[in-house]
Amino acid sequence: MKTVTRTRAAVAAATLAAASLAAALTGSGTAQAAGGPAQPAAAGLAIAVHPDQVGQQLRAGFVGLSFGAATVAADDYSATDLAGYLKTLGPSGTLRVGGNSGDGTFWTSTNEAAPSWATSGTITPAKLQSLAAIAHATGWKVILAVNLKHPDAPRAADEAKYAQQIFGRSLLAIEVGNEPNFYEADADAYHADFETYAAAIRAAVPGMPLTGPEAETNHSSWLGAFATADAAHPDVSLISDHTYPTSACGGQVATIPQLLGTASVQYENTNAQAALSAARQLHVPAAMTETNSTVCAGTAGVSDTLASALWSLDYNLLLAQDGMTSAEFMDGTNAAGCDPYTPLCPTTGDLTPRPLYYGLLATELVGSGEFVALDNPDSADIRAYAVRESGHLTIVLDNVQDPASHGATTVNLALGLRNLHCGTATTLSTTSPAGLAATTDITLGGQQVGAHGAFPTPQHTSVSVRHGAANVTVQAGSAVIIRFS
């Protein structure tokens, strides 16, 4: 397998000193992204695609949601049409149940009284059945965390047994603990406890897939240490990690330029590579089972804006291109309220999609296939990806520049294939004058997600192809997905 072009982080660094490609490529079609104030004449950017240089697979169902175990304990989401919004995101995906509230939830199958530490509620078989109904209705899989902070391996095994009975094939794995770096001395101590849980769970449910180490963002060193410890007696079926490129913890304030900047790109890529390296040691896949824009529930004006939608589209494709199997965005339903980074907010009897949800939906519209290499001399401003599937080539152009200070960019695409005759472009943008800071009026293909996840057929703009080349104009603060055939 050939390696897809340099990581976007490396390209971005080189771009700072790179000149534009000298010659513009021919092409007669133009697709223009809507939204944002009028700007001066479009700048030009030449991108060459190399369809023969094949990389990792973009898998169907890459996008997932992660939510706190307290949501299951409260069972509040069962009163909403979560299933409808999941179906809109695609016929497959992953629901990961864990989070910090997993440390404060109590499992019982015998109606025991909860201990005093169980401040996040009690999970019972009936609560799992409500979640299973959603999983079965949508085709989505579930990763279920068991409490490790308050260690009780037999209780965890009992929960795994009931989970297997209730979810059946919808149960993807049992997660042993959430962010153990907060209560374990080190990765070796965590692995020792992991082994105790693994023995109990597999005695109760032979063959049950397990995942770890689930360390907090900024603890990528745990991945390698855990993989090394597990190599002698491998018990893990999936390496899982958490990543947030910006922070609202301890009084920190994230910004849109920070979220969309190249430092975030480098951080995201570094974390993905650490997870993938650990996974290769154990010959298992790797997933980003808890992630979002800003740790500690997000930053208003950043995590709930168009910027988060553009970021998530780019971030998903970066992780998938690196080789990750999925990314689960926290907080998937947040029945207790509506934090800034929440993709779906609870309202009376239903949920309301936020801008981030549109970025996840845009990722689904890219489809599946193999990433192929491309040369992009301006990856700091225009994030570009190419995915090939059968006779189709999909190009994603994500213009993360601020429309308040930047005009449109005309991208001259050399597609590298002569058998492509036309393209259709779908745009992620806003009609709001707030641009990247817009929290409303977000559209994908000119459409908005309605009640119960209803999403009308996206509108497309035709893109002409001539001699294997095409022109696409992308407004600052928008993204375009072009499918060529």
Side-chain angles (χ1 to χ4, degrees):
M1 176 181 293
K2 294 184 178 179
T3 302
V4 171
T5 190
R6 294 172 293 171
T7 67
R8 196 179 66 238
V11 175
T15 299
L16 298 178
S20 299
L21 292 185
L25 304 170
T26 59
S28 58
T30 299
Q32 183 156 326
Q39 292 294 336
L45 171 66
I47 292 178
V49 183
H50 304 287
D52 59 324
Q53 298 180 28
V54 178
Q56 299 289 343
Q57 186 84 14
L58 174 59
R59 296 170 174 83
F62 182 86
V63 167
L65 297 178
S66 175
F67 51 93
T71 306
V72 176
D75 206 15
D76 289 342
Y77 61 85
S78 61
T80 69
D81 195 0
L82 175 59
Y85 292 93
L86 297 184
K87 289 177 181 177
T88 298
L89 286 178
S92 60
T94 302
L95 291 171
R96 176 260 184 174
V97 178
N100 290 339
S101 66
D103 297 332
T105 53
F106 177 69
W107 162 263
T108 178
S109 60
T110 58
N111 296 317
E112 301 163 80
S116 59
W117 55 257
T119 55
S120 298
T122 297
I123 298 176
T124 64
K127 303 287 180 66
L128 294 186
Q129 287 168 354
S130 295
L131 182 60
I134 293 173
H136 294 154
T138 59
W140 282 45
K141 304 295 186 182
V142 174
I143 295 175
L144 179 66
V146 291
N147 193 320
L148 181 64
K149 184 176 182 180
H150 303 277
D152 189 336
R155 188 173 300 277
D158 184 64
E159 185 174 2
K161 181 183 70 174
Y162 274 89
Q164 177 60 43
Q165 294 170 357
I166 292 168
F167 290 105
R169 294 182 180 179
S170 296
L171 185 61
L172 183 62
I174 294 293
E175 171 188 311
V176 179
N178 172 76
E179 298 185 352
N181 51 281
F182 283 114
Y183 49 84
E184 295 276 16
D186 52 32
D188 289 337
Y190 166 68
H191 185 261
D193 288 340
F194 181 97
E195 286 288 285
T196 299
Y197 268 52
I201 291 171
R202 288 188 168 143
V205 194
M208 172 61 69
L210 302 176
T211 180
E214 298 285 346
E216 181 205 17
T217 190
N218 292 325
H219 286 76
S220 59
S221 62
W222 275 60
L223 292 159
F226 175 76
T228 299
D230 200 59
H233 302 287
D235 282 313
V236 66
S237 301
L238 174 73
I239 284 289
S240 47
D241 193 22
H242 298 178
T243 291
Y244 296 82
T246 65
S247 176
C249 303
Q252 297 182 77
V253 178
T255 66
I256 289 176
Q258 182 185 17
L259 178 63
L260 297 178
T262 55
S264 287
V265 171
Q266 292 165 352
Y267 180 80
E268 294 156 8
N269 187 67
T270 297
N271 280 10
Q273 293 299 334
L276 289 164
S277 176
R280 283 191 293 269
Q281 284 184 255
L282 300 176
H283 307 288
V284 298
M288 203 63 70
T289 52
E290 183 183 314
T291 193
N292 211 309
S293 59
T294 306
V295 69
C296 288
T299 295
V302 179
S303 305
D304 56 353
T305 66
L306 173 65
S308 73
L310 299 177
W311 164 78
S312 64
L313 173 60
D314 174 48
Y315 175 64
N316 282 327
L317 296 178
L318 171 65
L319 261 59
Q321 182 172 271
D322 280 345
M324 303 293 285
T325 59
S326 68
E328 282 67 59
F329 285 76
M330 195 81 183
D331 188 320
T333 57
N334 196 8
C338 191
D339 293 322
Y341 66 7
T342 305
L344 290 166
C345 281
T347 52
T348 303
D350 200 14
L351 297 163
T352 299
R354 306 284 283 284
L356 177 62
Y357 182 89
Y358 285 83
L360 308 186
L361 182 54
T363 305
E364 166 63 19
L365 292 188
V366 176
S368 58
E370 295 174 315
F371 284 97
V372 297
L374 54 77
D375 297 325
N376 177 15
D378 189 18
S379 61
D381 296 327
I382 310 292
R383 314 290 168 77
Y385 299 88
V387 178
R388 186 175 184 180
E389 189 270 325
S390 299
H392 303 282
L393 179 67
T394 300
I395 305 294
V396 179
L397 302 172
D398 194 344
N399 189 340
V400 298
Q401 297 179 97
D402 187 348
S405 54
H406 293 82
T409 298
T410 295
V411 181
N412 314 121
L413 292 168
L415 301 173
L417 293 171
R418 291 287 176 171
N419 61 341
L420 299 176
H421 305 291
C422 61
T424 56
T426 304
T427 300
L428 171 63
S429 62
T430 183
T431 56
S432 169
L436 291 177
T439 58
T440 61
D441 301 314
I442 313 297
T443 61
L444 180 58
Q447 307 287 6
Q448 291 188 310
V449 179
H452 308 296
F455 183 58
T457 302
Q459 300 168 4
H460 305 297
T461 304
S462 297
V463 179
S464 300
V465 178
R466 184 180 180 186
H467 305 307
N471 290 345
V472 180
T473 299
V474 191
Q475 294 285 353
S478 72
V480 180
I481 302 166
I482 317 106
R483 183 174 175 84
F484 293 99
S485 57

